[in-house]
Amino acid sequence: MRESERKLITSISRSQAFQLERLNRFPKRIKLGNRSVGWRLSELMQWVHSGGGLSEQLAQGAGYEG
């Protein structure tokens, strides 16, 4: 899945997804080419179904700093 599709599925911003990825709370990006990345649909769906939405991440303290 590319960025636009990822955003539709997860409903979180690009920067929030990158923050969560660094904390190992979001699926890792996969390099698709020299200048492109994507995500596995199965991993995104698993994240969504496991309750990985924005409100849960904010409640766990992984949200915005400031």
Side-chain angles (χ1 to χ4, degrees), residues 3-64:
E3 172 62 25
S4 60
E5 298 164 316
R6 183 220 45 87
K7 188 172 182 178
L8 287 173
I9 291 170
T10 63
S11 299
I12 63 172
S13 70
R14 178 185 302 194
S15 61
Q16 185 70 18
F18 292 162
Q19 284 181 340
L20 294 172
E21 182 181 335
R22 283 193 302 270
L23 296 170
N24 293 317
R25 294 183 179 180
F26 192 77
K28 298 283 185 200
R29 288 169 281 167
I30 300 166
K31 188 171 183 176
L32 301 175
N34 289 336
R35 295 176 42 132
S36 62
V37 296
W39 292 263
R40 287 188 176 92
L41 175 60
S42 60
E43 291 178 2
L44 291 176
M45 296 307 292
Q46 182 179 4
W47 182 83
V48 168
H49 291 301
S50 69
L54 178 59
S55 59
E56 179 174 320
Q57 297 302 327
L58 289 173
Q60 292 177 5
Y64 302 103

